[in-house]
Amino acid sequence: VIPTWIRRLRKATPTLLRRPRRVIPTSPRSTTKPTNTSPKCRLSPYLKKLENAADPSECSRIFFSCIQGLLNAKTKTSMEAHTYICQAISYIQQHYREELSVPQIADVVSLNPVYLSRLFKLDTGKTLSEYLNCYRTECSLALLTDTADTIQSISQKVGYSDVRSYIRFFKKYYDVTPSEYRRGAVGK
C-alpha cells in the first residue's frame, strides 16, 4: 500500500519541475547531449526508494535528499567548466596589478572570451570584469590602512591606470571613497 502523500508527490512532480536541468557543455564545440534530464527520470530512483521505505523518518530522509539533489543539479556547471573558472580566478589573483582584459584571461585558459564570460557568470554570479574590479579594490584595503601612499599610487599598484576608475569602483563596493575609508580606518 502506497501512502497517499507519495501518490500525490508522484502526480505533482512532473508539473512542479517542468524545466530540465541546465547542463553547460564542457567546451564550446561539445556535441554530447545530457541524458535523463527530465524531472521524471531524475525522480524515479527516489520514488522507488520512497515506496520501499520502512517508516516515515526514512521517507523524510529520502524526500529531503531528493530535493537537495534537484536543487544542486539545477545551477551547477560541469567540473571541467569549473576548472576553467578556477584557472581564470587564479590568473586574476596573480596578475591583478597588470592591465588585464577578458580576451587576455580567456587566452590564458584557452577559451573563447564570450564563452568564458558566460561560464564565469554562471559559476560565480559575477562577470569577469566585476570580479577583477572587486578583487583589486579588496587588495587596496590593506594599502589604504597600512601605508601612507597617495590614492593615485595605490590605484596604480592594484592595476588601475586611471585613479578616477579606482575611486568609482571603490565607492561602488564600499559606499565610501578610498580617502573616506582611510580616514575611518585610521580613526578606529
Side-chain angles (χ1 to χ4, degrees):
V1 171
I2 300 172
T4 308
W5 68 274
I6 291 177
R7 283 193 299 246
R8 287 184 188 149
L9 179 67
R10 286 177 120 181
K11 287 180 182 177
T13 45
T15 56
L16 289 174
L17 304 168
R18 282 194 178 128
R19 293 171 70 201
R21 184 175 132 190
R22 188 173 184 181
V23 176
I24 302 300
T26 56
S27 71
R29 295 184 183 108
S30 178
T31 57
T32 58
K33 293 187 178 182
T35 57
N36 292 339
T37 57
S38 74
K40 197 169 188 175
C41 292
R42 289 190 310 234
L43 291 176
S44 286
Y46 292 108
L47 293 174
K48 287 178 184 172
K49 287 179 185 177
L50 280 171
E51 287 174 358
N52 298 328
D55 57 22
S57 65
E58 188 178 350
C59 287
S60 174
R61 185 185 55 76
I62 294 166
F63 177 74
F64 286 114
S65 69
C66 170
I67 297 300
Q68 185 67 40
L70 289 171
L71 290 174
N72 287 341
K74 202 166 195 172
T75 58
K76 296 290 183 193
T77 53
S78 71
M79 288 304 291
E80 188 177 349
H82 187 70
T83 303
Y84 291 128
I85 303 308
C86 291
Q87 288 174 354
I89 288 172
S90 176
Y91 185 80
I92 288 170
Q93 291 174 349
Q94 291 171 8
H95 300 274
Y96 72 94
R97 292 178 182 97
E98 304 165 14
E99 191 173 318
L100 291 178
S101 65
V102 173
Q104 181 183 356
I105 297 166
D107 190 46
V108 168
V109 296
S110 304
L111 285 180
N112 178 294
V114 175
Y115 184 69
L116 176 62
S117 296
R118 192 180 81 190
L119 285 180
F120 199 91
K121 176 80 172 178
L122 280 172
D123 198 62
T124 65
K126 294 180 179 181
T127 65
L128 273 164
S129 299
E130 286 172 336
Y131 180 84
L132 175 62
N133 287 314
C134 187
Y135 188 76
R136 283 176 169 169
T137 55
E138 186 180 316
C139 291
S140 75
L141 295 176
L143 294 171
L144 287 168
T145 56
D146 299 341
T147 68
D149 293 347
T150 64
I151 303 300
Q152 169 108 26
S153 172
I154 290 172
S155 72
Q156 290 173 344
K157 285 181 181 179
V158 295
Y160 287 99
S161 57
D162 181 21
V163 70
R164 291 173 299 193
S165 295
Y166 168 66
I167 293 169
R168 187 177 73 245
F169 286 115
F170 194 95
K171 187 162 181 143
K172 176 182 177 181
Y173 295 119
Y174 297 102
D175 294 325
V176 292
T177 65
S179 300
E180 292 168 341
Y181 180 84
R182 177 179 266 171
R183 281 193 297 269
V186 171
K188 289 184 181 179

